[in-house]
Amino acid sequence: MRSPVISPGDRGSEDTTSAAMANKARFWNRVARKYASDPIADLVGYERTLQRVKETLSTDYEVLEIGCGTGSTALRLAPATRRLVATDISEQMIAIAREKLASQPMPQLSFNLADADGSLSEDNSYDIVLAFNMLHLVSSLSQTLKLVVKSLKPGGLLISKTPCLNEMNPLIPKIALPLMKAVGKAPPVLCFTAAQLQDAMIKTGLQIISAERHGSKGNDFRAFIIARNINS
């Protein structure tokens, strides 16, 4: 199990990075159909998050979603934007998302293949970047946050909801997740608290606007954070 990645660190050689990206894509390609069919664990909490996000959106805004999965959330949010570009590393996830879009056409929504560990967009392109349930899945938290900041317009927002695994029962991040990863049932994950996540955001030039919890069942370890790009 990897420890929290709060500084860029050494990302290794280009070949190593490419291999890691390929392995990550293979994992999500393999589970894409099952992922698409799994029910939302906390539907009430999910709807709270959607409503909160919609409050920040505008039909004047250009929006990027990273780690969009099979596109269900993007389909819900796209009508509240001028343009929403939703991306994921998995070809199978994007294929499923495009199937959904074909049956529910939205001219302002597109699904593209892209990795949140790589280049996200041209500089200062977006008013908002969305990252739901994926910042713990990147190779380097600090690197991805730097790419997010680079993609945002000055004053633009990062809106994220992230499982903070170090707030769970210690047996889960220390024992259960490594075992699941060893047998191919879980991808590599980063373990941090909400405080560490906010600290990483601040270090990359993001100002925390709001930190919330939307869960309706028991202890909610998924931190919903809105942060503003204060880089000029």
Side-chain angles (χ1 to χ4, degrees):
M1 178 59 58
R2 296 183 59 171
S3 59
V5 179
I6 306 301
S7 59
D10 179 15
R11 292 177 58 83
S13 68
E14 183 176 344
D15 288 345
T16 300
T17 301
S18 297
M21 291 170 60
N23 287 336
K24 183 166 58 172
R26 276 194 294 270
F27 175 85
W28 292 110
N29 284 335
R30 187 173 72 248
V31 303
R33 291 290 167 182
K34 181 180 183 303
Y35 179 91
S37 64
D38 284 345
I40 296 172
D42 182 359
L43 187 57
V44 172
Y46 176 70
E47 292 295 338
R48 287 175 181 167
T49 296
L50 283 182
Q51 182 56 42
R52 186 70 175 90
V53 175
K54 287 178 181 178
E55 292 170 3
T56 71
L57 296 178
S58 165
T59 51
D60 292 327
Y61 285 173
E62 300 275 335
V63 180
L64 171 69
E65 182 180 4
I66 56 177
C68 70
T70 58
S72 297
T73 298
L75 287 162
R76 295 283 301 274
L77 297 177
T81 73
R82 179 168 65 187
R83 182 172 69 111
L84 197 163
V85 178
T87 66
D88 199 275
I89 192 175
S90 166
E91 292 181 3
Q92 291 300 314
M93 294 280 193
I94 291 297
I96 294 169
R98 288 173 175 167
E99 290 171 9
K100 294 178 181 180
L101 183 59
S103 65
Q104 187 182 348
M106 294 183 187
Q108 68 270 63
L109 176 60
S110 62
F111 290 104
N112 297 332
L113 193 65
D115 183 14
D117 287 320
S119 178
L120 299 179
S121 71
E122 296 180 4
D123 294 357
N124 309 128
S125 300
Y126 293 96
D127 299 284
I128 293 179
V129 173
L130 306 173
F132 301 129
N133 298 308
M134 60 81 55
L135 288 179
H136 65 307
L137 299 173
V138 300
S139 297
S140 168
L141 178 60
S142 60
Q143 175 66 14
T144 295
L145 290 174
K146 286 180 179 180
L147 293 171
V148 166
V149 168
K150 188 177 180 182
S151 298
L152 282 170
K153 297 175 182 178
L157 299 178
L158 167 63
I159 304 177
S160 64
K161 188 174 183 178
T162 310
C164 296
L165 302 182
N166 275 352
E167 296 182 1
M168 301 175 70
N169 184 313
L171 295 178
I172 295 176
K174 292 182 179 179
I175 298 176
L177 280 174
L179 288 175
M180 292 175 66
K181 178 186 172 185
V183 298
K185 297 295 184 180
V189 296
L190 304 179
C191 295
F192 42 69
T193 64
Q196 289 173 316
L197 177 57
Q198 290 185 51
D199 184 60
M201 291 179 177
I202 292 167
K203 287 179 178 176
T204 56
L206 292 164
Q207 178 186 29
I208 307 301
I209 302 300
S210 182
E212 308 167 17
R213 307 281 174 141
H214 296 163
S216 66
K217 298 180 179 180
N219 180 39
D220 184 10
F221 58 90
R222 292 179 173 86
F224 178 86
I225 300 172
I226 302 176
R228 187 181 306 281
N229 176 22
I230 57 175
N231 295 274
S232 57

